[in-house]
Amino acid sequence: MIAAISNVATPDLLLARRAAAGNADAWDRLVELYGERIYNLALHFTRNREEAEDLTQEIFLRLYTNLRQYRGDCPLVSWALRLSRNLCIDHYRRTRNDRLALKVSEEVLALVPARDDVHAEAQGREEIEAVHAALREMPEELAEVVLLRDLQGWTLEEVAASLEIPLGTVKSRLHRARLDVASRVQARFRDRWAERAASPALEASPC
């Protein structure tokens, strides 16, 4: 009996299956449900309406081609926003050289051990890439507050208003998310840092 209940398709799964099968009404419903939120996410990443519209179209095209992979094991909105977030990250990374600077919050990087002077620039780039990789792996509710607050520069109040959650919740999630990012980045670089720590320090020769 329990097995039979677990195999019942949820409304989200039925909607995804119908849209993936080419049902126009189902696809229109999906766009109606998530279109505005995905567009707003794209807009805040691009800060340009025309670019946001193009990115939103790219996201929905990718959603459509991946709908058959949705298995209903999480809410459809979470699945759609995770895919959207990852595409926004990809877009952000592709276009970062056209922007004035690529910023990762000092609060996040402060939790990462300091870089040595010789390899500072190269390691800095690697750490930023590691931050982006960490964001891909994190739970949606944590990743989005880091993206909006630390990568996009929103105020805490703007994040709270956009996500429709209390300010205190934003602060709590941001704290947890920064620690999560730092932990993942540290794990990625732990072996390298251990090797450097084990190497004998070079002493300055007397004049």
Side-chain angles (χ1 to χ4, degrees):
M1 183 67 178
I2 295 177
I5 293 176
S6 64
N7 290 328
V8 174
T10 65
D12 279 353
L13 183 57
L14 290 174
L15 178 63
R17 286 176 175 174
R18 291 173 56 213
N23 184 292
D25 290 338
W27 178 252
D28 288 345
R29 177 58 178 162
L30 193 149
V31 173
E32 179 184 353
L33 288 172
Y34 311 133
E36 183 176 0
R37 188 165 181 179
I38 289 175
Y39 172 75
N40 286 336
L41 180 64
L43 180 61
H44 282 287
F45 264 88
T46 61
R47 301 190 182 278
N48 178 284
R49 291 188 179 278
E50 183 176 351
E51 191 176 355
E53 291 173 358
D54 291 341
L55 181 55
T56 300
Q57 291 182 5
E58 179 184 346
I59 290 171
F60 271 106
L61 178 60
R62 189 69 63 86
L63 281 173
Y64 182 77
T65 58
N66 284 275
L67 271 176
R68 294 184 185 279
Q69 299 180 19
Y70 177 67
R71 296 292 179 262
D73 52 351
C74 66
L76 182 57
V77 62
S78 298
W79 180 86
L81 288 177
R82 176 177 293 276
L83 187 148
S84 302
R85 184 194 73 200
N86 289 342
L87 288 176
C88 283
I89 292 175
D90 288 341
H91 177 82
Y92 193 84
R93 296 173 66 187
R94 287 198 308 267
T95 60
R96 67 175 179 240
N97 291 332
D98 297 329
R99 305 179 190 277
L100 294 177
L102 176 63
K103 297 181 180 179
V104 171
S105 169
E106 290 298 325
E107 288 85 349
V108 172
L109 293 183
L111 297 173
V112 179
R115 303 183 290 271
D116 58 73
D117 292 337
V118 176
H119 301 287
E121 183 177 353
Q123 188 173 330
R125 288 196 300 268
E126 291 178 3
E127 287 173 0
I128 290 173
E129 293 298 321
V131 169
H132 285 298
L135 291 172
R136 291 178 179 277
E137 301 167 356
M138 290 169 57
E140 178 68 29
E141 66 175 21
L142 297 183
E144 61 186 358
V145 294
V146 171
L147 288 171
L148 297 178
R149 177 69 183 95
D150 292 333
L151 271 69
Q152 293 306 108
W154 291 18
T155 66
L156 294 174
E157 290 77 12
E158 287 173 333
V159 175
S162 176
L163 300 180
E164 299 180 344
I165 58 178
L167 182 60
T169 302
V170 172
K171 293 179 179 179
S172 174
R173 288 184 184 178
L174 186 60
H175 176 71
R176 290 162 50 208
R178 285 171 174 168
L179 292 178
D180 193 341
V181 169
S183 175
R184 293 173 189 272
V185 172
Q186 288 171 2
R188 182 166 177 169
F189 288 95
R190 184 173 294 123
D191 292 340
R192 184 178 307 173
W193 290 327
E195 290 175 2
R196 291 180 180 174
S199 301
L202 295 177
E203 295 182 359
S205 301
C207 296

